[in-house]
Amino acid sequence: MHCHCFSTCTEEHALAFLSRLPPTLTSASSPWYAYLLSVYRSPPALPFPLRRLTFFHLSAALPMARCVRSNASSPLRLDASHPRCAAAACAAWLAAPAAPPAAVTVHRWPAHVHLIAFPRAPPRAAPRRAWVEVHRARTSFAEGVDSYGCWFYPVVGSGLWVNIGRTTVLEPARGATPAELDADLPSSSLFREFVRTHNASEATPPPAAAGRKRVERFPALAHLLGYDSVQVLQRGFERAFAYPELVITTDNCSHQRKPIRTCPPHRLATGARHELSCTCSEKSHHLNCDGGDSKETEETAGSTSIGQID
């Protein structure tokens, strides 16, 4: 936009932005309603608790400050040439300052396209067959092959949904790295369930692929046990935030002939109630619905929603 009301160029700015979110959206005349409509592609139900949002599209219709950096290795800073909007215009976007949110740590995605507020405490696990809002970005890890699964971040506010089907939860791990996460696997309920019907020697790491060594065994174990997904609610007790992840372990996310890129071979939906079909485009490095028109689709029988506001 030609002017800004808030900034996420630094973590301090981003936390200030989150602390100024209106608690609840109650009117379709609010600019926040137009923003949510652009995200979900269908009208969100009101009232909508804005402070439940943990994901923001910074390139969407938000009066967000431009960020610049002196060079590729320097931190982002506010572009001093980007003017601030009039106070009356900003008043429609911002509530009175509240206490800084103590329950989140802010993470700006590369290229400053998205903002994720990771919870400090692990979130509640989603029930089986739930629709969960997610985000993912193209990585150099070889996903989709060798039973390694398709990896996502569960969020609220991306406007992109996956159904997690028959799901299981991986208990919190002490470490955050792949090796540390895998080292805790033998103490998990998933591993104990696996060795009741399989030999422990079958729990082998996936082979190196695309030049990257992959050590996490839990997606393959979940796939062999017939689970459609694994919820990782906590990675690393030493972190200041929970860093939850979701791994889809269905056949189509386990046995591709070559690694997936941006778009997973798993059904995506959009819409405020995941009622619209979503076709992802590989032109973007971030999960999207830019590959075709969103059309109304049938709901999955017996499903529930995590992140949906009714």
Side-chain angles (χ1 to χ4, degrees):
M1 298 184 72
H2 68 281
C3 62
H4 73 274
C5 292
F6 31 74
S7 164
T8 59
C9 297
T10 68
E11 183 161 317
E12 180 183 4
H13 290 175
L15 289 171
F17 159 64
L18 293 172
S19 72
R20 298 290 304 273
L21 286 175
T24 306
L25 173 64
T26 58
S27 171
S29 63
S30 167
W32 278 108
Y33 187 87
Y35 166 76
L36 292 176
L37 191 60
S38 72
V39 168
Y40 287 104
R41 306 184 183 209
S42 70
L46 299 178
F48 189 108
L50 289 171
R51 290 185 181 173
R52 280 200 61 200
L53 294 174
T54 62
F55 185 93
F56 298 87
H57 293 269
L58 302 184
S59 57
L62 289 177
M64 191 68 69
R66 286 196 301 265
C67 303
V68 295
R69 51 168 42 108
S70 301
N71 54 63
S73 60
S74 63
L76 288 170
R77 56 183 173 81
L78 181 68
D79 182 354
S81 68
H82 193 193
R84 186 169 178 83
C85 301
C90 291
W93 287 97
L94 301 171
V104 296
T105 291
V106 173
H107 175 74
R108 286 174 301 279
W109 209 268
H112 199 60
V113 177
H114 305 108
L115 175 74
I116 299 179
F118 286 118
R120 292 200 190 279
R124 289 184 299 173
R128 63 185 301 171
R129 297 179 65 82
W131 285 93
V132 177
E133 282 191 88
V134 294
H135 179 67
R136 62 171 273 113
R138 189 180 304 173
T139 74
S140 57
F141 284 95
E143 299 178 36
V145 298
D146 303 319
S147 299
Y148 195 56
C150 303
W151 294 60
F152 301 85
Y153 293 110
V155 296
V156 178
S158 70
L160 303 167
W161 306 80
V162 295
N163 192 286
I164 61 174
R166 181 173 181 258
T167 190
T168 188
V169 174
L170 191 68
E171 287 83 0
R174 290 186 298 273
T177 68
E180 291 170 332
L181 184 66
D182 194 69
D184 280 348
L185 181 63
S187 63
S188 69
S189 58
L190 176 64
F191 190 86
R192 292 193 295 272
E193 180 181 354
F194 181 80
V195 297
R196 284 199 293 268
T197 54
H198 297 75
N199 192 301
S201 63
E202 297 179 60
T204 58
R212 296 296 296 265
K213 182 180 180 181
R214 299 167 299 162
V215 300
E216 298 103 322
R217 293 171 289 169
F218 73 86
L221 270 59
H223 177 67
L224 287 171
L225 290 171
Y227 287 108
D228 299 313
S229 64
V230 181
Q231 299 176 64
V232 183
L233 304 182
Q234 171 82 52
R235 285 190 71 153
F237 294 147
E238 78 281 4
R239 286 184 183 270
F241 53 97
Y243 201 75
E245 292 182 288
L246 171 69
V247 185
I248 299 296
T249 55
T250 54
D251 282 345
N252 56 1
C253 276
S254 300
H255 302 309
Q256 293 294 308
R257 296 182 62 183
K258 59 182 181 180
I260 66 171
R261 302 174 71 206
T262 300
C263 303
H266 187 78
R267 180 188 172 192
L268 296 173
T270 187
R273 299 167 188 80
H274 46 78
E275 76 278 16
L276 302 176
S277 62
C278 171
T279 302
C280 181
S281 169
E282 292 288 357
K283 292 181 179 179
S284 172
H285 282 249
H286 300 272
L287 192 65
N288 62 83
C289 284
D290 298 335
D293 293 336
S294 299
K295 298 179 180 179
E296 191 165 357
T297 185
E298 293 183 4
E299 292 292 311
T300 300
S303 65
T304 55
S305 302
I306 300 298
Q308 175 184 332
I309 310 299
D310 288 325

